[in-house]
Amino acid sequence: MNTRTSGEYETLSWSVDDDGVATLVLDRPQAMNSFTVTMARELEQFFRTEAMSDEVRAVVVTGAGKAFCAGMDLSAEGNVFGLDEALSPTPADMRERLDDPAIAEGVRDTGGKVTLAIHELPKPVIAAINGAAVGIGATMTLAMDIRLASTSARIGFVFGRLGIVPEATSSWFLPRIVGIQQALEWVYSAEILTADQALAGRLVRSVHEPDDLLPAAVELARSFVVRRSPVALALAKQMLYRNGAVDHPLEAHRAESLAMFYTSIGDGKEGVAAFRQKREPDFTGRASELPEIY
């Protein structure tokens, strides 16, 4: 399988193979891939630009060296989270001025901007947690669709130890993944979880020996996208995340009806024809060209 290496980033490296599976590496091994404002900006850029290319069908995220991401780099001068301490933001500011540069740069959580970009990517995203994943290193994975862990992974929602709160939209994702009781226990205790504890709590899908982790994650991503319609996958991702939170199944019915209508006259025609003719489908739909269903 050929692999093409792309992109010029300070804190990241990435490549994409012939099946469209991109491997994104948090690449600050000398600092255990600790999170910086620069990494936040580069991750947001990657998921909103390079990953949106139709060449990329799925993304696997891992860390360089022994760590996945050891949390925020606390060595920065001033406010280590990159926030403007001269401001006094209010809930009204967050509703009405979210994109105002003063709020966007001085108040909005950098990790949250990253996880929103990950969540909004209309493609499968898999975390291959190869080592320490603490703080933002843990919460950024929650916006990814599936998490695999190495036996050496250590995962911690350690915010209480630092006097801060869960961030990176984790208060939305974590209870949905593991349930409110487990989420509260992990956040209250601020303990470091082993891979087996994360598996028992249903945070991760599976645990692998270190050398097997990344190949398993890439193979899983490949199984999602080879001979699959990018449009059907993208719409399914939208519907599963969104419809699970609506008040009545009628709302799901409305969106699913539109999604079924447009896929049935698009890639669905090819899928049905391939099934009847006992051949592999040749889907031509693009995740960058989705019908509106909401």
Side-chain angles (χ1 to χ4, degrees), residues 170-193:
S170 59
S171 60
W172 192 91
F173 281 105
L174 186 58
R176 284 168 169 79
I177 296 168
V178 304
I180 187 65
Q181 178 173 263
Q182 184 68 89
L184 285 169
E185 180 181 345
W186 284 347
V187 171
Y188 287 159
S189 71
E191 295 296 334
I192 303 296
L193 308 173

Side-chain angles (χ1 to χ4, degrees), residues 73-110:
D73 186 336
L74 302 180
S75 66
E77 295 295 326
N79 187 295
V80 296
F81 305 103
L83 306 178
D84 186 347
E85 297 183 8
L87 300 176
S88 300
T90 66
D93 290 327
M94 302 310 290
R95 288 192 302 270
E96 300 163 10
R97 300 174 54 210
L98 193 64
D99 295 324
D100 181 310
I103 299 297
E105 297 301 322
V107 178
R108 289 184 63 181
D109 166 41
T110 53

Side-chain angles (χ1 to χ4, degrees), residues 6-207:
S6 308
E8 293 184 4
Y9 288 108
E10 183 180 329
T11 68
L12 310 173
S13 58
W14 70 285
S15 60
V16 59
D17 67 22
D18 288 343
D19 289 321
V21 176
T23 299
L24 175 67
V25 180
L26 309 179
D27 203 355
R28 300 184 70 225
Q30 74 286 356
M32 296 184 70
N33 306 318
S34 55
F35 193 82
T36 64
V37 172
T38 298
M39 181 181 284
R41 290 172 179 157
E42 292 185 345
L43 281 167
E44 187 178 7
Q45 178 181 332
F46 174 82
F47 280 100
R48 294 204 182 280
T49 56
E50 282 88 355
M52 286 296 297
S53 166
D54 288 315
E55 179 187 27
V56 174
R57 301 282 306 279
V59 179
V60 173
V61 185
T62 196
K66 296 181 179 180
F68 180 79
C69 172
M72 194 76 195
D73 186 336
L74 302 180
S75 66
E77 295 295 326
N79 187 295
V80 296
F81 305 103
L83 306 178
D84 186 347
E85 297 183 8
L87 300 176
S88 300
T90 66
D93 290 327
M94 302 310 290
R95 288 192 302 270
E96 300 163 10
R97 300 174 54 210
L98 193 64
D99 295 324
D100 181 310
I103 299 297
E105 297 301 322
V107 178
R108 289 184 63 181
D109 166 41
T110 53
K113 290 190 282 188
V114 169
T115 54
L116 288 172
I118 294 170
H119 176 61
E120 291 164 12
L121 182 72
K123 303 169 186 183
V125 183
I126 297 173
I129 305 172
N130 57 301
V134 179
I136 180 61
T139 54
M140 79 164 75
T141 71
L142 303 179
M144 301 175 196
D145 302 315
I146 296 175
R147 286 152 296 281
L148 282 65
S150 160
T151 54
S152 61
R154 296 294 182 267
I155 302 170
F157 302 96
V158 297
F159 308 100
R161 297 186 184 190
L162 297 175
I164 57 174
V165 298
E167 36 57 272
T169 66
S170 59
S171 60
W172 192 91
F173 281 105
L174 186 58
R176 284 168 169 79
I177 296 168
V178 304
I180 187 65
Q181 178 173 263
Q182 184 68 89
L184 285 169
E185 180 181 345
W186 284 347
V187 171
Y188 287 159
S189 71
E191 295 296 334
I192 303 296
L193 308 173
T194 66
D196 286 339
Q197 287 173 316
L199 180 65
R202 303 187 68 181
L203 178 63
V204 301
R205 167 193 179 270
S206 51
V207 175

